[in-house]
Amino acid sequence: METIVQVQGLRKTYGATVAVDDISFVVHEGEIFGMVGPNGAGKTTTIECLEGLRKPDAGTVRVLGVDPQQEGQTLRLRAGMQLQQSNLPDRMKVWEALDLYASFYPKPLDWRDLLVQLGLEEKRNTPFGKLSGGQKQRLFIALALLPDPQLVFLDELTTGLDPQARRAIWDLVRDVRARGKTVILTTHFMEEAERLCDRVAILDRGKIVALDTPEALIRALGAEERVVFHIEGNLPPAFASALSEGTRLEVQGERATVYSRNGRQVPLVVEVVGLLSAQGIRYRDLRTEQPNLEDVFLSLTGREMRD
Amino acid sequence: MKSLWKMTWMEAKLFLREPFGTFFTLAFPLMMLFLFGSIYGNEPSPLFGGRGTIDISLPSYTAMIIATTGLMSTTITIAMYREYGILRRLRTTPVSPLVILGAQVIVLFLMTAAGMMLLLLAGKLVYHVQFEGNALSLLAGFTLASLSFFGIGFFLAGIVPTPRTAQIVGMVLLYPMIFLSGAGFPRELLPATIQKIATFLPLTYVVNLLRGLWFGEAWSQHVTDVAVLAVALVVGVLASSRLFRWE
Ligand SMILES: Nc1ncnc2c1ncn2[C@@H]1O[C@H](COP(=O)(O)OP(=O)(O)OP(=O)(O)O)[C@@H](O)[C@H]1O
Ligand SMILES: [Mg+2]
C-alpha cells in the first residue's frame, strides 16, 4: 500500500496554546481516514498543516510525496480541499464559482455533473450569499472534488447538512475512494466516522489518543452490550438484586438501562426479559444496543464539555 | 492564462453587481458633470485660459475616478476578500496570487477607463468640449496615474485590519484629497494656501498630468508629475507585495 500522508512528531502552538502536540500517523492510498475529537482538539490545525496553510513548529509532514511548505504548488494541483471556514463573494453565482475554480486545474471534472450529484442544479444561478448553510457546504464539497484530486481533505464535511444530503455525501465520498483516491476528513458525527471511515484517529488536547478501524476501536473498548427499556412507575428493588453478577443497572426517570460485559453465557436480553416477566413488571420499548464509536469517544475523551 | 481570463471576467461581473463601485466610478462623475454644467455652462472664461468650466473639469473628474477606484474599490475589495476567507479559499487552489491581483487591476483599470469614456462622451455630446491632446499620450498618462493609485490602494489594503477600516481610511484620504487637489472643482478657485497644501497630495499630480495631456501639452512640461506618480507606483507595488496577507 502506497503511503499518501506521513506525519512525524507534528507540533503546532499558538502562544501558550498547544494546538497539536507531537502527533505521528500515516494515511494509505485509497483509504478514508477520519479524525474526530472534541472542539479545540487540534483537528483543523492538523489538517491545515497537511494542506500547507499553516506552518508546523516542529515535525515532518509529507503529503503526496512532498513537503507542503516547500512544494505547496504541487500539492494544490493534486489535492482538493474543503476548509472548515471560508467563503466566496456573496454575489458570485453557484455555476460561476464552479466554472471559475475549474479553470485553475488542468483536468477538472465536469462541474455540471457535480452540480447534479450534490443536488444543486436548482441553485445554479443563485448567488452564494443567498444559499442556505447546507447549500454553501455542498458547494464547498463540490469545489473540493472538482479538480478530480488524488487526495481530498474535508474538514467537517457534513456539518449543517440534512440527513438526506449527509447520506448523499457519504456515497460521493465512497465513490471517490472507489476510484482509488484518498480522503482525509474530520467530523463530529460518530455515526459518520463509524460508517464511512476505514480508520479513525481520536484526537484530544492535541494528541492522538486512539487510532484504528472503527470496529477495532469498539472491540478494544471491551465495550458493554446493553438493554434499554421503559417502565411505568418505579422499578421494584427486587429487580436490581435479581440481576446476575457482572451487570449494572442505571435508571433515569422511566428509562432503565442494563449494562453487561460481552461474551456472556445467556444473552443479556434473555435474562432481562425473563426477570421482567417473572416479576410481573410492565415495560415497553425494550431494545438492545451495541456499543458504538460514540461510546469509545466518550470513554476516551470524557463527558465534560471542553472550553 | 485561462484562469486569468476567467478570473477577470468574474471580477468584472462582481464589480458591476456591486452598486457602490459602479455608482462612484460610472454614475457619480457624470452627475457632477451635469450638475456643474447646468450651473456654469461651458462658456470660455479668462480664468481658465479661454476654456470653459466643463473643458477644464473633464480631466479633473477623471482624476477623481482614479482616486475613488484606487483608494476605495481596491482597498475595500482586497480587505473584504481577506476578512471573509475568500482569499483563504483561493489559496487552497493552484491559482497564482498574481492572477488574483492581476484580475483586480485589469477590472479596476477598465472600469476607470469606462468612467473616463462616459465623461468624454457626455462632454462632447452635451457641452461640445474640445479634446486638444493626443489620445495615446492621454492613455499613457491615464495608465500611469491609475496604476500608481492602485498601488496605493493595495498598500492600504495590506495595512488595514478589516473592510470597515478600509472604508473609513479610504474616505478620510479620498474626500479631502479630491477637494484640495482640484479633482472635484477647479483649483484656480481655491485660496493660495490650500494650493500649497495640495503639493503634498499625490492626486494633485494626477490632475496636473491629465489636464496637461488633455490640452496637448508636452510630456517635458510634466516631468515632476510623472516622477511623483512613478515613485508612488514603485513604492506601492513593493510595499503591497511585502504586506500582502492571505488571512
Ligand atoms: N489561528 C489561531 N490562533 C490562535 N489559536 C488558535 C488558532 N487556530 C486554532 N487555535 C487554537 O488551537 C486549538 C485547536 O484548534 P483547532 O481549530 O485545530 O481545533 P478543532 O479540533 O478543529 O476544533 P473544532 O472541532 O471546534 O473545529 C484550539 O484551542 C484553538 O483555540
Ligand atoms: Mg476544526
Side-chain angles (χ1 to χ4, degrees), chain A residues 233-247:
Chain A
N234 292 326
L235 201 58
F239 178 80
S241 46
L243 280 169
S244 66
E245 196 72 17
T247 55

Side-chain angles (χ1 to χ4, degrees), chain A residues 117-131:
Chain A
Q117 284 166 349
L118 286 151
L120 285 170
E121 331 89 293
E122 273 177 37
K123 296 289 163 190
R124 202 189 143 102
N125 288 314
T126 306
F128 179 77
K130 294 220 158 65
L131 294 176

Side-chain angles (χ1 to χ4, degrees), chain A residues 14 17 19 37-45 54 84 156 188:
Chain A
Y14 300 104
T17 313
N39 292 137
K43 304 178 295 294
T44 298
T45 306
R54 300 192 198 195
Q84 186 176 351
E156 303 213 352
H188 284 298

Side-chain angles (χ1 to χ4, degrees), chain A residues 48 73 87 91 96 99, chain B residues 6 17 84 88 91 94:
Chain A
E48 293 194 352
Q73 190 64 7
N87 261 309
R91 290 188 167 83
E96 291 172 335
D99 190 44
Chain B
K6 286 259 188 208
R17 284 173 199 165
Y84 297 155
R88 207 173 137 67
R91 193 185 172 193

Side-chain angles (χ1 to χ4, degrees), chain A residues 58-76:
Chain A
T60 54
V61 175
R62 308 279 301 171
V63 181
L64 294 168
V66 303
D67 176 345
Q69 287 298 318
Q70 303 296 323
E71 293 169 72
Q73 190 64 7
T74 316
L75 180 61
R76 287 190 290 272

